[in-house]
């Protein structure tokens, strides 16, 4: 009998209202418990007087503003903006007017006072006036990885900016302003920011790497085993270790939960490409981490997978090459109205993200291997050249009423091809509208 890698049944995840009621009720209860714990943390903040806080510097960048003096003169004030995370995982922003050195990823002790903020603002990020700060001896567990990467990207004048790009690609470090600007203008942010795309590439790479070894032992010692299940468990373990390394980065966390739940339902013979599965993953992530509802990366990550499911459901099967081109173009257009609600940059050159995304499937694991063996600087010349390219662009934010209407069409597309075609017409029209504004 011929062995198969999947169940021949592929039943639905939940068929009855009773099952949906119980799963939603349990996740809602977990959400309420976590929101209560978070709210108690919020009540513990003291807005009336300064206090001492221990935190890690997630991001640091200089800023300047002009202040008008009493005599009418203008004085420029320079300061640093710091994004911080305390021991409970809460993030907040602060300003330091001290001439501090680069302390990103370092742990610090702060003496400062929180500005009054609401619970919703606390879930996103409150602001603290920093009166003084001091470095702690504690270091981030990824510093050795950062040093190893940076050591491959330096010349006689010092460290090159390519090191920051690779740290963002490999361990989710924040991008410097130079890379952030070019990624936004070219629409490459979803490629650089670690997400499900990277998880898929790494999983495929590990499968190719492990398969010959596993196949040899399977053939000789345990031919009754199913390679898809065994290798799936092994790869999920590797991805979980990577998730720990990334400190539960939101987009990768969503992707891992999706992959883990997807594997379980695949193992159980349940249909994987279903919107109910995506909905359950969405609820699961929110239940255990309520702050994700305000995280832009998580929202865009869920949206991207949703439009992928729509494409797979309605688009006809054609030649793989043309199917791949249409797939990337459709997702690029479908998600644009939502992306522009958060990020304003538009340029026709953003279409380059489609071939770049295809090439990235090879570039990402290759660059990982090159860095592992100490040859990570091979692409430096081309990457540094890209920083010098001047990309013309415009800025446009999608109005909220368009986003809501587009979201309604998208949800309707789950049940109707007419809504899916209408949604695509709107997304194409949106791109044409931006292009005409650009001209």
């Amino acid at each position: 009998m011929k062995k198969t890698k999947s169940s021949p049944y592929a039943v639905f995840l939940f068929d009855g209202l009773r099952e949906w009621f119980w799963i939603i009720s349990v996740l809602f209860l977990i959400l309420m418990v976590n929101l209560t714990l978070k709210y108690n943390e919020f009540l513990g903040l003291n807005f009336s007087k300064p206090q001492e806080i221990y935190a890690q510097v997630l991001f640091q960048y200089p800023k300047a503003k002009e202040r008008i003096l009493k005599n009418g003169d203008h004085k420029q004030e320079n300061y640093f903006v710091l994004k911080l995370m305390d021991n409970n995982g809460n993030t907040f922003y602060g300003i330091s007017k001290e001439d501090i050195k680069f302390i990103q990823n370092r742990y610090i002790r702060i003496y400062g006072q929180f500005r009054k903020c609401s619970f919703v603002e606390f879930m996103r990020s409150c602001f603290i006036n920093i009166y003084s700060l001091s470095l702690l001896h504690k270091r981030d567990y990824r510093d050795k990885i950062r040093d190893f990467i940076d050591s491959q990207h330096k010349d006689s004048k010092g460290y090159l900016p390519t090191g920051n790009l690779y740290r963002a690609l490999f361990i989710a470090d924040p991008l410097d302003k130079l890379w952030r600007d070019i990624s936004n203008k070219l629409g490459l942010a979803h490629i650089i920011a670690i997400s499900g795309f990277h998880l898929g590439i790494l999983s495929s790479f590990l499968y190719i790497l492990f398969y010959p070894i596993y196949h040899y032992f399977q053939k000789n010692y345990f031919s009754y085993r199913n390679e898809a299940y065994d290798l799936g468990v092994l790869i999920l373990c590797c991805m979980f270790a990577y998730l720990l390394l990334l400190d539960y980065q939101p987009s990768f966390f969503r992707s891992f939960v999706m992959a883990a739940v997807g594997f379980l339902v695949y193992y159980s013979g349940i249909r994987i490409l279903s919107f109910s599965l995506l909905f359950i993953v969405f609820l699961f992530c929110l239940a255990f981490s309520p702050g994700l509802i305000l995280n832009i990366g998580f929202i865009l990550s869920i949206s991207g997978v949703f439009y992928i499911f729509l494409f797979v459901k309605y688009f006809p099967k054609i030649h793989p090459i043309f199917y791949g081109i249409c797939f990337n173009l459709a997702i690029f257009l479908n998600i644009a109205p939502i992306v522009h609600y958060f990020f304003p940059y538009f340029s026709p050159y953003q279409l380059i993200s489609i071939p770049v995304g295809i090439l990235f499937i090879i570039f990402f694991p290759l660059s990982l291997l090159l860095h592992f063996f100490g040859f990570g600087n091979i692409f430096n010349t081309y990457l540094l050249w890209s920083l010098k390219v001047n990309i013309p662009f415009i800025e446009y934010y999608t109005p909220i009423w368009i986003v809501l209407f587009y979201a309604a069409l998208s949800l309707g597309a789950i049940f109707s091809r007419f809504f899916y075609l209408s949604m695509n017409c709107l997304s194409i029209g949106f791109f044409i509208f931006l292009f005409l504004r650009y001209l």
Side-chain angles (χ1 to χ4, degrees), residues 33-296:
V33 171
N34 284 312
L35 276 177
T36 301
L37 294 174
K38 188 64 69 173
Y39 189 68
N40 286 333
E41 290 180 23
F42 170 71
L43 294 178
L45 293 181
N46 192 333
F47 299 106
S48 60
K49 62 180 181 179
Q51 55 190 297
E52 192 175 74
I53 298 169
Y54 293 85
Q56 182 183 18
V57 181
L58 300 179
F59 194 49
Q60 171 188 352
Y61 61 92
K63 206 168 183 180
K65 69 175 181 179
E66 283 193 353
R67 186 165 63 90
I68 302 177
L69 303 177
K70 292 182 178 180
N71 60 6
D73 292 341
H74 292 260
K75 181 182 179 181
Q76 180 171 291
E77 291 186 344
N78 299 312
Y79 56 93
F80 287 96
V81 177
L82 305 176
K83 184 178 182 181
L84 309 162
M85 182 173 68
D86 65 13
N87 294 331
N88 294 322
N90 302 312
T91 59
F92 48 94
Y93 285 89
I95 286 178
S96 175
K97 295 184 179 180
E98 299 181 38
D99 186 19
I100 57 177
K101 64 178 183 178
F102 186 75
I103 57 172
Q104 188 166 303
N105 303 311
R106 294 294 301 272
Y107 289 87
I108 59 175
R109 182 173 62 244
I110 300 170
Y111 183 70
Q113 184 172 350
F114 280 102
R115 292 183 186 176
K116 187 69 176 178
C117 66
S118 65
F119 177 60
V120 174
E121 290 171 329
F122 170 74
M123 293 282 286
R124 187 184 294 114
S125 286
C126 282
F127 190 90
I128 184 171
N129 294 313
I130 299 175
Y131 302 138
S132 65
L133 61 84
S134 56
L135 286 176
L136 301 176
H137 291 292
K138 182 180 178 182
R139 299 299 297 266
D140 189 89
Y141 58 91
R142 293 168 290 188
D143 279 351
K144 290 184 178 180
I145 299 176
R146 294 185 178 101
D147 293 340
F148 179 71
I149 294 173
D150 286 339
S151 66
Q152 300 177 50
H153 301 277
K154 63 180 181 179
D155 56 16
S156 57
K157 297 180 181 179
Y159 289 106
L160 299 171
T162 47
N164 171 254
L165 175 64
Y166 283 110
R167 281 188 276 112
L169 286 174
F170 298 156
I171 56 174
D173 271 10
L175 279 176
D176 289 342
K177 189 176 185 305
L178 284 172
W179 290 114
R180 196 165 62 249
D181 287 345
I182 194 170
S183 67
N184 288 333
K185 293 173 185 177
L186 289 178
L188 301 176
H190 68 288
I191 295 176
I192 296 176
I194 294 181
S195 63
F197 185 38
H198 300 73
L199 183 142
I201 295 173
L202 287 176
S203 298
S204 301
F205 173 72
L206 290 176
Y207 188 89
I208 294 171
L209 188 67
F210 294 151
Y211 176 76
I213 303 172
Y214 176 89
H215 185 68
Y216 170 79
F217 286 98
Q218 182 197 39
K219 184 178 179 180
N220 292 279
Y221 300 102
F222 41 81
S223 58
Y224 56 90
R225 299 289 305 178
N226 188 302
E227 71 188 45
Y229 295 158
D230 290 346
L231 290 179
V233 171
L234 179 60
I235 291 170
L236 276 177
C237 290
C238 293
M239 292 299 100
F240 181 71
Y242 193 40
L243 179 66
L244 294 178
L245 178 66
L246 298 177
D247 197 20
Y248 293 91
Q249 194 265 353
S251 297
F252 197 85
F253 175 59
R254 189 280 309 160
S255 305
F256 176 79
V257 172
M258 187 83 183
V261 175
F263 178 78
L264 289 175
V265 299
Y266 171 78
Y267 184 84
S268 304
I270 298 172
R271 185 171 298 184
I272 295 178
L273 293 177
S274 66
F275 294 98
S276 58
L277 173 61
L278 180 61
F279 182 60
I280 290 298
V281 169
F282 174 73
L283 293 180
F284 181 88
C285 292
L286 289 187
F288 286 93
S289 185
L292 288 177
I293 192 63
L294 302 174
N295 185 280
I296 297 175

Side-chain angles (χ1 to χ4, degrees), residues 170-432:
F170 298 156
I171 56 174
D173 271 10
L175 279 176
D176 289 342
K177 189 176 185 305
L178 284 172
W179 290 114
R180 196 165 62 249
D181 287 345
I182 194 170
S183 67
N184 288 333
K185 293 173 185 177
L186 289 178
L188 301 176
H190 68 288
I191 295 176
I192 296 176
I194 294 181
S195 63
F197 185 38
H198 300 73
L199 183 142
I201 295 173
L202 287 176
S203 298
S204 301
F205 173 72
L206 290 176
Y207 188 89
I208 294 171
L209 188 67
F210 294 151
Y211 176 76
I213 303 172
Y214 176 89
H215 185 68
Y216 170 79
F217 286 98
Q218 182 197 39
K219 184 178 179 180
N220 292 279
Y221 300 102
F222 41 81
S223 58
Y224 56 90
R225 299 289 305 178
N226 188 302
E227 71 188 45
Y229 295 158
D230 290 346
L231 290 179
V233 171
L234 179 60
I235 291 170
L236 276 177
C237 290
C238 293
M239 292 299 100
F240 181 71
Y242 193 40
L243 179 66
L244 294 178
L245 178 66
L246 298 177
D247 197 20
Y248 293 91
Q249 194 265 353
S251 297
F252 197 85
F253 175 59
R254 189 280 309 160
S255 305
F256 176 79
V257 172
M258 187 83 183
V261 175
F263 178 78
L264 289 175
V265 299
Y266 171 78
Y267 184 84
S268 304
I270 298 172
R271 185 171 298 184
I272 295 178
L273 293 177
S274 66
F275 294 98
S276 58
L277 173 61
L278 180 61
F279 182 60
I280 290 298
V281 169
F282 174 73
L283 293 180
F284 181 88
C285 292
L286 289 187
F288 286 93
S289 185
L292 288 177
I293 192 63
L294 302 174
N295 185 280
I296 297 175
F298 177 76
I299 294 171
L300 294 180
S301 179
I302 288 288
S303 301
V305 176
F306 175 78
Y307 289 117
I308 289 173
F309 278 18
L310 283 179
F311 180 89
V312 173
K313 179 176 181 178
Y314 289 112
F315 200 82
K317 301 298 181 182
I318 56 177
H319 191 278
I321 294 178
F322 296 110
Y323 188 86
I325 294 173
C326 292
F327 172 85
N328 285 276
L329 182 60
I331 305 306
F332 170 82
L333 293 172
N334 290 165
I335 204 170
I338 297 176
V339 169
H340 277 273
Y341 178 74
F342 301 104
F343 305 106
Y345 298 108
F346 172 79
S347 171
Y349 294 99
Q350 289 178 351
L351 288 169
I352 200 175
S353 64
I354 296 174
V356 169
I358 297 172
L359 292 174
F360 189 77
I361 297 173
I362 300 173
F363 173 80
F364 185 53
L366 177 61
S367 60
L368 266 175
L369 284 176
L370 289 173
H371 278 83
F372 182 79
F373 291 107
F375 300 101
N377 61 349
I378 286 180
F379 300 111
N380 277 357
T381 302
Y382 308 102
L383 294 173
L384 291 173
W385 171 84
S386 67
L387 288 175
K388 301 176 183 178
V389 178
N390 183 27
I391 304 165
F393 66 96
I394 62 170
E395 295 186 16
Y396 180 80
Y397 283 102
T398 311
I400 183 63
W401 67 270
I402 293 181
V403 173
L404 293 176
F405 179 71
Y406 185 74
L409 278 180
S410 301
L411 292 175
I414 298 175
F415 312 99
S416 168
R417 183 184 296 271
F418 171 77
F419 281 103
Y420 181 65
L421 294 175
S422 301
M423 183 202 78
N424 276 281
C425 289
L426 182 57
S427 64
I428 293 171
F430 183 76
F431 180 82
I432 294 173

